[in-house]
Amino acid sequence: MKIIDAHIHLSHIHSFHQTAKPFSHLTYSFEGLKKDMKDNHVVAAVGMGLRELEGGEGFPDKDVPTPMGLDMLQGKGKVVYCAGINPYRLGYRELDALEKELLKPEVTGIKIYLGYYPFFAYDRVYEPVYDLAAKYRLPIVFHTGDTYSERGILKYAHPLTIDEVAVTHRQVTFVMAHFGDPWMLDAAEVVYKNTNVFADLSGLIVGDSREVSRVAGTPHFFDHLKHGLAFCDNYEKLMFGTDWPLVEMAPYIRFIESYIPFSKREHVFYKTALQVFPKIRTALLLR
């Protein structure tokens, strides 16, 4: 089965480096990513643009410029990315730079970090970003749910806040990263209700294969995932993703497979990503 990983990272973020070696037990580098992709039949990956300044406050960093990219990416091909947004840096100069970034063949969408930055999805600060997404027909990926930082503020990342944006910007495709975990039933309702909203299933577990087995085997830990998937009742609007380097690819693939009916796996693991991120097709041609 061909797989597209719709959510990975490839930026020099201190917390990612701290997690990759002692917890995920993987090599957090461009070469490490390529090897994991090859070993697991992952034909393309979508990176989430992110930066933190050396000697700064760490992610979420208020001073990094928009757009944020993948500062560990080498060359073009099977790894594309969503340009990251810092809402504190969205003046005319930054918006012009973002528009130029969106013209690059390897830039397949836009990433907004709800919860990490204290702005709701419907805050007017993001309106110019939504306009650019509509102009270039590119999706917006929102971080939703739990944050990988104690400095995040959860109310800004609740999936119900996406509903208003989806209604007022019907021409834009939106993706809720992490399926709003742990508010998956709310996320499922937003996906179910709005034709222009999708979700990825990344980042539900952090760690190596042993940790994936432990968490997945904990009674009731993922009852909310079962409930959300059943209520959403539309696997064609869900995408596989890992949140690499926070988890090993191989065990996470098996974990997500265990929740997806066999007849729907091609959509979740491959076809839906091609629909949501059409520029991936160009990356596949560059293999």
Side-chain angles (χ1 to χ4, degrees):
M1 178 177 66
K2 291 188 294 186
I3 297 173
I4 293 174
D5 189 332
H7 193 129
I8 63 102
H9 293 280
L10 199 61
S11 299
H12 284 297
I13 302 300
H14 181 65
S15 60
F16 291 169
H17 284 286
Q18 279 191 317
T19 300
K21 188 173 182 179
F23 297 107
S24 304
H25 296 127
L26 54 80
T27 302
Y28 184 38
S29 66
F30 181 62
E31 291 302 318
L33 174 63
K34 286 200 303 182
K35 182 179 185 303
D36 281 359
M37 290 174 65
K38 181 179 179 181
D39 290 347
N40 293 285
H41 309 290
V42 176
V43 298
V46 183
M48 299 296 142
L50 192 57
R51 273 194 66 192
E52 62 184 15
L53 299 179
E54 185 175 352
E57 59 185 334
F59 179 72
D61 194 323
K62 295 179 181 179
D63 296 320
V64 295
T66 294
M68 297 183 279
L70 307 182
D71 56 17
M72 293 168 61
L73 181 62
Q74 300 173 21
K76 301 177 182 179
K78 293 192 291 183
V79 180
V80 294
Y81 65 94
C82 295
I85 302 300
N86 175 4
Y88 291 107
R89 299 285 297 274
L90 271 180
Y92 292 114
R93 182 178 299 178
E94 288 86 359
L95 288 169
D96 182 63
L98 175 61
E99 183 163 17
K100 291 176 180 177
E101 187 86 350
L102 298 181
L103 295 173
K104 296 178 180 178
E106 66 271 26
V107 177
T108 192
I110 299 170
K111 176 65 183 288
I112 291 177
Y113 291 90
L114 301 179
Y116 291 100
Y117 293 108
F119 298 86
F120 287 108
Y122 48 76
D123 194 293
R124 292 196 59 81
V125 70
Y126 290 125
E127 286 299 319
V129 179
Y130 301 150
D131 291 341
L132 287 174
K135 179 178 179 179
Y136 292 103
R137 299 182 179 180
L138 293 175
I140 300 274
V141 180
F142 290 115
H143 172 88
T144 59
D146 185 32
T147 60
Y148 199 59
S149 168
E150 290 187 6
R151 293 168 54 217
I153 302 176
L154 294 175
K155 69 178 182 179
Y156 295 103
H158 196 286
L160 281 181
T161 64
I162 309 303
D163 182 51
E164 182 173 339
V165 178
V167 170
T168 56
H169 297 83
R170 303 303 296 173
Q171 72 279 28
V172 178
T173 295
F174 297 104
V175 178
M176 292 189 292
H178 321 301
F179 201 26
D181 187 32
W183 301 293
M184 288 184 173
L185 190 58
D186 294 326
E189 168 59 20
V190 178
V191 172
Y192 170 81
K193 172 182 174 287
N194 297 287
T195 57
N196 58 331
V197 179
F198 295 74
D200 78 39
L201 301 175
S202 68
L204 308 183
I205 303 177
V206 174
D208 59 8
S209 58
R210 181 176 296 183
E211 181 65 3
V212 171
S213 295
R214 184 192 71 82
V215 175
T218 300
H220 307 299
F221 196 96
F222 281 113
D223 285 356
H224 63 305
L225 174 57
K226 293 180 182 178
H227 196 176
L229 292 174
F231 185 84
C232 185
D233 195 29
N234 193 343
Y235 290 94
E236 287 80 0
K237 297 187 74 179
L238 302 173
M239 294 182 293
F240 171 77
T242 57
D243 218 6
W244 194 94
L246 301 186
V247 69
E248 289 184 298
M249 282 188 178
Y252 199 76
I253 290 170
R254 294 192 296 270
F255 163 68
I256 296 298
E257 276 184 335
S258 69
Y259 286 89
I260 308 299
F262 183 80
S263 63
K264 302 297 184 182
R265 288 180 185 176
E266 189 175 15
H267 287 281
V268 173
F269 283 89
Y270 185 71
K271 285 185 175 180
T272 303
L274 288 179
Q275 176 186 349
V276 172
F277 301 105
K279 288 170 77 173
I280 289 179
R281 295 183 186 274
T282 303
L284 293 177
L285 292 173
L286 295 174
R287 289 171 55 193

